Amino acid sequence: MTASLQSAPGPFFGEFGGRFLPEALMAALDELTDAYEKAKADPSFGGELDRLARDYTGRPSIVTEVPRFAAHAGGARVFLKREDLNHTGSHKINNVLGQALLTKRLGKTRVIAETGAGQHGVATATAAALMDLDCVIYMGEEDTERQALNVARMRLLGAEVVPVKSGSRTLRDAINETFRDWVANVETTNYMFGTAAGPHPFPAMVRDFQRVIGVEAREQMLALGGLPDAVLACVGGGSNAIGSFDAFLDDEGVRLIGCEAAGDGVETGRHAATITGGTKGVLHGSRSYILQDQDGQTVASHSISAGLDYPGVGPQHSWLADIGRAEYWPVTDADAMDAFRLLSRTEGILPAIESSHALAGAIRLGRELGPDATLLVTLSGRGDKDVEQAARWFDMLPGEDA
Amino acid sequence: MTALAERLDQIKAEGRAALIGYLPVGYPTVEGSVRAMQTMIEAGVDIVEVGLPYSDPVLDGPTIQHAAERALAGGSRVSDVFTAVKGCVDAGAPAVVMSYWNPILQYGVERFADDLVAAGGSGAILPDITPDADVTWLPTARERDLDTVFLVALTTTAERMALTCTAGSGFVYAAALMGVTGERSSMGGGVQDLVARAREAGAPRVCVGLGVTTGEHAAQVAEYADGVIVGSALVRCLTDHPDDLEAGLEALRAKTTELARGVRGEL
């Protein structure tokens, strides 16, 4: 009998993970780790988190079978785990409620966070409003332009949004700037990291807060007749994917497939497919696959999806790829947008562009496996925020008629 | 003992603190940056921190971020750092490389250490890792008699202070404030106590950096530290004159002179 792969504690996942950050932040990371360990052992913390999940987020999220979509996926049965129906519109709320509760336990009054597409920023601003915390969100200037609606949402929720003008002006620079804020304000401030990456304890802690996705989905699939043949989820930093995978890690018959953003195609160099096209290195506090040049300088990533446009990936994914427990498939912008349109038109569900990468993976896998297969896809977020961008992609904006 | 440690001890024997100046390689060009380092040495910098530009400098403020971005855009490579180290050593100053961890990791830890030794460098300052984060560098450096300088901060716990002050060598870098590199109007409180804590924890030499901007700041820090580290205030001399290196070098010479008088108590 082999040991369970579930809920691996970190700080290392095989050779990946760790804590590569300045000494100035070590006391805060130790304090956070300690507070999280105590909270895990405290039934009142779990109880409060469960209550919020039920009464605030709206959990459990449902599972929806999508037969009209599935007809285009080789006739396989396709089920969606509907994280898009959560309060704030994505899986990000699962994580921030946990981290905001921890912030209160730490006695800190201010939270900071990075955001790419704006989903984590919106979720953080929401939790900060709910729990009376000051909130500053760092967002790459380019992302504030392509996700203007989410910037307004965060401001409406009372958060300050700081556009980051340095470097590539995207998620990676937003993370750098959030670390800089943290070093300067660590006494009063907690960094609510948005994905299952970064230094220990974030990869394990964020995974634990997102684990509810897979735990619920696994029970729901069993009630519907059995485990799926595969679980698919999109991977940027990888929090919805690791949250979807964790409960299935010991189910050997279930394939786990992370769909990375391949942008214009991995072969073009303009992509964000970190595991498919990257090499091992250290970025943002942990060892993982990253996109870098020979000198270890981070290379800019490219994706139509701001939420997946990141040149790193959570260390547990790198480990699962290396030991062969999970597969990571590249999905281009074009394939993701085709899947976006298909789900919208066949099922009346507008997916986030991020999640559309997982849908594209399901189309590919369904065609490969045929009608006997059952696929579970995590629909990590809804597409409301992407309407303008998608309409432009499909030339549907008024005055843009061809 | 490295040239770095020897120079620090020698300066201490003179009854003053050392002036340690930081500049990034490749700004405005590789050749220009080496000239700038040599200018600092002529004007009174005792030891040079040769900065290796990195794409994601989480501990740097806008001035150094900007210079690093320009250096990388201009094609600066990791190997240029050894050219600059040699240029400093030839000009009579011990040199240490200041680098974020990933460029060293990708260059190859042993290869980096070998090339640093060949260039005459004394060691490396590693701002974004701690002694317990990586096990490859320290033994590699020790085998080659290279110093490894780690940072301590105002938030460093007693346990971590002991770990950090005994793991490294050369000197311990005490961060004068909680924050990123950059100029400040005054030196924060608490750093004198931090230096004392580092000494008690076994640090043979303690130098102070972050925020040191004026000759007056340098004079204040020189009263209790073995060395005063200045970065952004020197880099800004060059970034203030982006299209005129000679003017930049002139400003750099004047700033260095002010700081050198500060550590000598001549202000």
Side-chain angles (χ1 to χ4, degrees), chain A residues 53-82:
Chain A
R54 185 186 65 233
D55 300 343
Y56 192 71
T57 306
R59 305 206 70 91
S61 67
I62 59 173
V63 164
T64 303
E65 183 165 11
V66 285
R68 277 172 43 75
F69 173 84
H72 300 264
R77 294 189 76 182
V78 177
F79 295 86
L80 305 183
K81 177 62 174 167
R82 301 290 304 278

Side-chain angles (χ1 to χ4, degrees), chain B residues 209-244:
Chain B
L210 281 197
V212 183
T213 305
T214 64
E216 202 178 310
H217 294 168
Q220 284 168 25
V221 173
E223 288 184 9
Y224 52 83
D226 299 305
V228 181
I229 306 168
V230 185
S232 297
L234 295 167
V235 175
R236 194 168 59 80
C237 297
L238 301 177
T239 56
D240 275 352
H241 303 278
D243 303 314
D244 187 350

Side-chain angles (χ1 to χ4, degrees), chain B residues 7-227:
Chain B
R7 183 65 58 93
L8 283 169
D9 286 350
Q10 183 196 332
I11 291 168
K12 191 172 197 165
E14 291 170 18
R16 68 172 175 95
L19 177 61
I20 304 175
Y22 166 97
L23 286 176
V25 178
Y27 185 84
T29 60
V30 174
E31 195 200 343
S33 63
V34 175
R35 278 189 65 199
M37 291 173 199
Q38 290 173 341
T39 301
M40 291 198 304
I41 295 165
E42 285 164 23
V45 150
D46 299 299
I47 292 157
V48 178
E49 248 184 53
V50 178
L52 200 164
Y54 176 51
S55 54
D56 295 83
V58 294
L59 260 190
D60 284 309
T63 306
I64 293 178
Q65 279 178 46
H66 171 75
E69 250 179 58
R70 297 314 308 156
L72 290 174
S76 180
R77 301 291 309 266
V78 170
S79 51
D80 294 328
V81 90
F82 306 113
T83 307
V85 164
K86 187 164 185 310
C88 293
V89 174
D90 287 349
V96 280
V97 172
M98 163 80 115
S99 178
Y100 289 89
W101 180 235
N102 198 48
I104 295 177
L105 193 62
Q106 300 308 323
Y107 193 81
V109 168
E110 291 198 358
R111 181 178 163 218
F112 191 93
D114 286 339
D115 289 358
L116 185 54
V117 169
S122 291
I125 303 175
L126 304 174
D128 67 336
I129 66 167
T130 51
D132 45 343
D134 187 273
V135 292
T136 55
W137 172 261
L138 272 172
T140 308
R142 278 193 201 114
E143 271 167 28
R144 291 162 179 78
D145 195 26
L146 288 170
D147 282 327
T148 304
V149 175
F150 291 110
L151 276 67
V152 294
L154 297 167
T155 50
T156 299
T157 59
E159 191 189 344
R160 297 199 56 85
M161 187 67 80
L163 168 79
T164 308
C165 292
T166 51
S169 58
F171 66 90
V172 166
Y173 187 134
L177 49 87
M178 292 302 293
V180 294
T181 59
E183 296 171 86
R184 305 290 199 282
S185 55
S186 65
M187 297 301 297
V191 63
Q192 190 168 356
D193 177 55
L194 177 63
V195 171
R197 286 174 59 212
R199 288 213 174 98
E200 271 169 40
R205 304 166 198 89
V206 186
C207 301
V208 170
L210 281 197
V212 183
T213 305
T214 64
E216 202 178 310
H217 294 168
Q220 284 168 25
V221 173
E223 288 184 9
Y224 52 83
D226 299 305

Side-chain angles (χ1 to χ4, degrees), chain A residues 12 19-27 30 165-167 172-173 175-177 179-187 279-284 287 290 292-299, chain B residues 52-61 65 69 72 76-79 101-107 127-134 151-153 155-157 160-161 164 178-180:
Chain A
F12 283 95
R19 189 186 274 177
F20 300 83
L21 272 189
E23 168 63 27
L25 292 173
M26 288 299 144
D30 280 338
K165 297 174 164 58
S166 58
R172 156 187 151 215
D173 306 284
I175 294 176
N176 291 337
E177 208 55 34
F179 275 127
R180 291 180 187 123
D181 180 312
W182 205 22
V183 174
N185 300 297
V186 67
E187 213 164 298
T279 51
K280 293 170 190 173
V282 170
L283 174 67
H284 291 148
R287 187 175 165 85
I290 61 177
Q292 59 183 333
D293 68 14
Q294 271 180 306
D295 277 6
Q297 308 290 352
T298 312
V299 172
Chain B
L52 200 164
Y54 176 51
S55 54
D56 295 83
V58 294
L59 260 190
D60 284 309
Q65 279 178 46
E69 250 179 58
L72 290 174
S76 180
R77 301 291 309 266
V78 170
S79 51
W101 180 235
N102 198 48
I104 295 177
L105 193 62
Q106 300 308 323
Y107 193 81
D128 67 336
I129 66 167
T130 51
D132 45 343
D134 187 273
L151 276 67
V152 294
T155 50
T156 299
T157 59
R160 297 199 56 85
M161 187 67 80
T164 308
M178 292 302 293
V180 294

Side-chain angles (χ1 to χ4, degrees), chain A residues 201-251:
Chain A
F202 292 114
M205 182 172 74
V206 176
R207 188 267 331 278
D208 289 348
F209 289 140
Q210 294 293 0
R211 194 171 182 278
V212 65
I213 302 172
V215 169
E216 286 177 6
R218 191 172 180 280
E219 279 177 23
Q220 289 162 322
M221 293 306 291
L222 284 172
L224 286 162
L227 292 174
D229 296 300
V231 178
L232 298 102
C234 64
V235 176
S239 71
N240 93 80
I242 203 69
S244 302
F245 292 171
D246 199 68
F248 293 96
L249 281 175
D250 299 332
D251 298 319

Side-chain angles (χ1 to χ4, degrees), chain A residues 21-374:
Chain A
L21 272 189
E23 168 63 27
L25 292 173
M26 288 299 144
L29 288 165
D30 280 338
E31 182 190 34
L32 185 60
T33 307
D34 187 51
Y36 178 54
E37 291 305 320
K38 285 189 178 125
K40 264 203 295 193
D42 178 354
S44 74
F45 181 81
E48 178 64 3
L49 203 54
D50 287 348
R51 187 192 69 75
L52 286 167
R54 185 186 65 233
D55 300 343
Y56 192 71
T57 306
R59 305 206 70 91
S61 67
I62 59 173
V63 164
T64 303
E65 183 165 11
V66 285
R68 277 172 43 75
F69 173 84
H72 300 264
R77 294 189 76 182
V78 177
F79 295 86
L80 305 183
K81 177 62 174 167
R82 301 290 304 278
E83 294 300 302
D84 62 315
L85 296 178
N86 293 338
H87 178 47
T88 73
S90 81
H91 68 291
K92 294 293 187 186
I93 192 78
N94 303 327
N95 171 40
V96 296
L97 290 174
Q99 292 204 44
L101 282 180
L102 270 183
T103 305
K104 297 298 259 189
R105 288 192 160 218
L106 290 166
K108 293 186 174 180
T109 56
R110 179 175 177 265
V111 292
I112 53 175
E114 83 294 344
T115 197
Q119 294 301 86
H120 176 58
V122 167
T124 303
T126 301
L130 179 69
M131 300 192 200
D132 191 23
L133 297 161
D134 293 332
C135 178
V136 177
I137 304 294
Y138 291 93
M139 187 169 186
E141 194 176 45
E142 183 179 326
D143 293 336
T144 62
E145 288 156 12
R146 54 181 169 177
Q147 298 288 348
L149 191 63
N150 268 343
V151 175
R153 286 171 80 192
M154 289 182 266
R155 288 180 174 152
L156 288 168
L157 290 161
E160 181 188 343
V161 180
V162 180
V164 177
K165 297 174 164 58
S166 58
S168 63
R169 305 188 304 133
T170 60
L171 178 57
R172 156 187 151 215
D173 306 284
I175 294 176
N176 291 337
E177 208 55 34
T178 317
F179 275 127
R180 291 180 187 123
D181 180 312
W182 205 22
V183 174
N185 300 297
V186 67
E187 213 164 298
T188 60
T189 300
N190 190 30
Y191 185 173
M192 305 217 324
F193 208 73
T195 191
H200 181 67
F202 292 114
M205 182 172 74
V206 176
R207 188 267 331 278
D208 289 348
F209 289 140
Q210 294 293 0
R211 194 171 182 278
V212 65
I213 302 172
V215 169
E216 286 177 6
R218 191 172 180 280
E219 279 177 23
Q220 289 162 322
M221 293 306 291
L222 284 172
L224 286 162
L227 292 174
D229 296 300
V231 178
L232 298 102
C234 64
V235 176
S239 71
N240 93 80
I242 203 69
S244 302
F245 292 171
D246 199 68
F248 293 96
L249 281 175
D250 299 332
D251 298 319
E252 283 175 22
V254 179
R255 284 170 72 179
L256 303 174
I257 299 170
C259 298
E260 300 192 298
D264 294 342
V266 174
E267 69 289 350
T268 67
R270 289 179 51 83
H271 66 89
T274 313
I275 293 177
T276 308
T279 51
K280 293 170 190 173
V282 170
L283 174 67
H284 291 148
S286 59
R287 187 175 165 85
S288 196
Y289 282 96
I290 61 177
L291 300 180
Q292 59 183 333
D293 68 14
Q294 271 180 306
D295 277 6
Q297 308 290 352
T298 312
V299 172
S301 54
H302 295 275
S303 169
I304 189 170
S305 150
L308 304 183
D309 198 354
Y310 180 57
V313 66
Q316 197 173 355
H317 286 297
S318 293
W319 177 57
L320 292 173
D322 270 17
I323 64 173
R325 179 60 190 99
E327 306 157 52
Y328 294 85
W329 291 6
V331 174
T332 62
D333 288 352
D335 285 351
M337 292 311 292
D338 285 349
F340 177 101
R341 180 165 58 185
L342 184 64
L343 188 74
S344 302
R345 294 193 171 183
T346 57
E347 301 287 348
I349 298 171
L350 231 61
I353 296 178
E354 288 76 16
S355 321
S356 300
H357 288 71
L359 293 167
I363 295 170
R364 197 187 305 171
L365 183 63
R367 288 177 183 169
E368 196 180 301
L369 298 180
D372 292 340
T374 302

